[in-house]
Amino acid sequence: MIDTSSPVLEVRDLARHFEVSSGLFSSATLTVKAVDGLSFTIKAGETLALVGESGCGKTTVTRMILRLDKTTRGHVLVDGQDVHALKGGDLRALRAKMQAVFQDPWSSLNPRMRVRDLVAEPLMASGKMSRKDIDLRVGQVLEAVGLRPDQAQNYPHEFSGGQRQRIAIASALVSNPRLIVLDEPVSALDVSIRSQIMNLFKDLQEEFGISYLLVAHDLATTRYLAHQVAVMYLGRIVEIGPSDQVFKNPQHPYTEALFSAALPGHPDDVHEEILLEGELPSPLDPPKGCPFHPRCPRKIGPICETQIPALTSHAGRPAVACHLY
Ligand code: SF4
């Protein structure tokens, strides 16, 4: 039975700022706010997707959650434990609860290692299991991802792209994680096998109650897998809420434009295409006020150019950061 009462992942006011030189002949520095004040939670057995254009800060968020990068401010809690405050054995135990599956299964698997050793790596690192128990567990997770236990003796090059992604998923699954970060998990795969892998993620979530943090450019993947969706723009969340509601009725002008440009993944999601002018502004020199105002087709006046809108929810609808609401 999945405990859905408390969040598996809680991100509180998370920020990552970088100091960069302001010029070749200057000692002055500028602050780049790659991520600035993100908060969200993911319950057991649920998926939250982070969406937005390249450069909006999604990758920096996942790196901080996995503790591959430090934070400037805020907290990342997994099962109530602060990921950036733990050390030694406590940190190793927490790392087993958090795993990741990346875009390219070929680059994430060492070609010189047998599948058995690749999948067993997290268990070997803990040093707590016998070889026999490890082999048993490896066989179980290979079966869970649709491979045969005897394929543990093979090398990655003996498998197809889809099968290699199944091996990467087995590696993530072997330590019984609570949370898996899925970073573009199907975008490097042939279209014909994407749906098989997406179905596998759903089946594993249902069977083991795993939570996913999904980063995907493809909105059809997001629509299919995510229970919640958070739309990011220049390091901040501009809209967050249940996936069904955000896809059917996007409120923020940026969400409207982003979703209108994508092929609908569901008949309810057909929206008139909105063409955005200009590029994503540089985080080195973000616009004052609402960061989206230079491109916004629904700007309502000086307030948009001077005041940053707070992320707020009205009448039980998804929370949105826009002065229109
Ligand atoms: Fe557009 Fe103003 Fe809303 Fe920003 S606050 S998204 S500029 S309407």
Side-chain angles (χ1 to χ4, degrees), residues 135-208:
D135 285 343
L136 200 66
R137 178 71 186 141
V138 169
Q140 282 171 349
V141 288
L142 288 179
E143 274 190 316
V145 300
L147 297 170
R148 297 189 316 272
D150 63 277
Q151 290 178 300
Q153 297 310 315
N154 297 5
Y155 288 92
H157 71 266
E158 297 175 73
F159 294 87
S160 67
Q163 285 177 320
R164 283 200 289 268
Q165 194 60 311
R166 287 176 193 269
I167 297 167
I169 297 166
S171 297
L173 209 59
V174 78
S175 58
N176 278 321
R178 298 272 288 149
L179 171 76
I180 302 183
V181 173
L182 304 177
D183 190 352
E184 299 285 357
V186 296
S187 56
L189 303 176
D190 285 348
V191 175
S192 57
I193 50 174
R194 282 184 191 178
S195 57
Q196 291 175 22
I197 298 295
M198 290 200 293
N199 284 333
L200 176 63
F201 285 127
K202 277 205 160 189
D203 292 346
L204 294 173
Q205 183 167 61
E206 220 168 285
E207 189 171 351
F208 302 113

Side-chain angles (χ1 to χ4, degrees), residues 36-74:
D36 198 26
L38 244 66
S39 297
F40 59 83
T41 58
I42 309 181
K43 289 185 197 164
E46 285 204 351
T47 302
L48 180 138
L50 287 178
V51 301
E53 289 162 286
S54 297
C56 70
K58 304 184 297 271
T59 302
T60 310
V61 175
T62 58
R63 288 180 56 79
M64 286 190 284
I65 288 171
L66 292 167
R67 209 174 135 158
L68 301 172
D69 195 358
K70 60 185 182 180
T71 61
T72 303
R73 190 179 77 228

Side-chain angles (χ1 to χ4, degrees), residues 238 251-254 289-301 303-305 307-309 320-325:
V238 296
Q251 301 175 89
H252 194 282
Y254 176 64
C290 169
F292 187 57
H293 85 256
R295 303 168 80 191
C296 181
R298 295 172 65 192
K299 193 164 75 179
I300 48 174
I303 188 173
C304 294
E305 294 166 19
Q307 287 184 32
I308 299 177
V320 61
C322 174
H323 294 306
L324 285 168
Y325 302 93

Side-chain angles (χ1 to χ4, degrees), residues 10 20 79 81-82 139 157-158 169 204 210 257 263-264 270 284 287 302 318 322:
E10 186 172 1
V20 295
D79 278 342
Q81 289 183 291
D82 191 330
H157 71 266
E158 297 175 73
I169 297 166
L204 294 173
I210 306 163
L263 282 176
V270 181
L284 267 175
C322 174

